[in-house]
Amino acid sequence: MARNRNCLYEEYVWEVPVRVTHWVNMLAIVVLSVTGIYIGSPKTLGLSASDYVMGWVRVIHFTAGYTFTVSVASRIWWAFAGNRHAGWREFVPFLSQEGRRNMWRMFTYYTFLSRKVPHPIGHNALAGATYLLVFLLYLTMIFTGLALYAEHRPGGAMHVLLSPLYWLFSNQGMRLTHHMVMWLLIAFAIHHVYSAWLMDVKERGGVMSSIFGGYKPVKRRE
């Protein structure tokens, strides 16, 4: 940890796997959203059927989907293998009294009930709990997407493994769920960028820059 002139030191908060999966997820969600909207409401973009426009869009969508699946699985694994800031406990703060207290402090700040800005080193408690919900949405997208893809081969290995989903959803119900979760993730992404920018300004803690370099300036404890 390298100290600076302003009574701060730089702590290595976001390790490489955290930063890589963050940006891979972001890019994958953009690609999946754009191609998914086209697949769900196709337009004639080619001059003839031989242009294979829908085919290429589906290939890009499936490739991004598999990439997203590997990235999410890697991040879940790193929640058990990484440092304390990446650990699974960060996503379940409500299990401890201190975590619930920190969630309330963050909630009162977000809702303008308090002007006191919390200064967590990693995720703030409310954000951590929110990310748990986001990962549940990720898993919903992954499993419904794989189930829809597996329908091209009934009785295949993937189709059999995902058979419980076919009991829970009709084909159109699964497509609707997949589509609605996409919009929920887009809404989250908008809020995520805004809140990260807000806390970077208010905390002056390098939230935005830390997701690139991994380090955050932290006040030295006397």
Side-chain angles (χ1 to χ4, degrees), residues 110 143 189:
Y110 277 145
F143 284 110

Side-chain angles (χ1 to χ4, degrees), residues 74-221:
S74 300
R75 181 62 183 89
I76 292 173
W77 172 73
W78 199 251
F80 299 90
N83 66 15
R84 65 186 179 91
H85 304 297
W88 62 270
R89 291 179 179 82
E90 291 288 297
F91 302 100
V92 287
F94 45 83
L95 295 182
S96 69
Q97 184 176 1
E98 180 64 22
R100 291 190 293 272
R101 187 180 300 114
N102 290 335
M103 288 179 67
W104 175 250
R105 288 170 180 165
M106 203 67 220
F107 176 79
T108 57
Y109 175 73
Y110 277 145
T111 53
F112 308 106
L113 298 175
S114 172
R115 293 188 177 186
K116 187 175 181 180
V117 185
H119 292 277
I121 298 176
H123 296 303
N124 71 66
L126 194 59
T130 302
Y131 295 150
L132 176 63
L133 296 177
V134 170
F135 269 83
L136 291 177
L137 293 178
Y138 284 172
L139 294 176
T140 301
M141 283 296 276
I142 289 169
F143 284 110
T144 56
L146 290 174
L148 289 168
Y149 176 75
E151 286 183 327
H152 80 282
R153 190 183 177 187
M158 187 182 295
H159 192 270
V160 172
L161 286 173
L162 297 173
S163 58
L165 291 180
Y166 303 119
W167 302 333
L168 293 172
F169 297 95
S170 66
N171 176 270
Q172 289 306 312
M174 193 177 302
R175 290 180 183 277
L176 179 61
T177 300
H178 196 70
H179 186 79
M180 290 179 65
V181 172
M182 176 197 73
W183 287 110
L184 288 175
L185 289 176
I186 290 174
F188 164 76
I190 295 170
H191 170 74
H192 180 61
V193 172
Y194 165 74
S195 60
W197 171 79
L198 173 66
M199 297 313 296
D200 204 16
V201 171
K202 294 297 184 180
E203 286 184 334
R204 301 182 184 275
V207 173
M208 299 292 278
S209 60
S210 67
I211 199 60
F212 292 95
Y215 287 88
K216 287 185 67 176
V218 179
K219 289 184 178 180
R220 186 186 301 118
R221 294 180 180 178

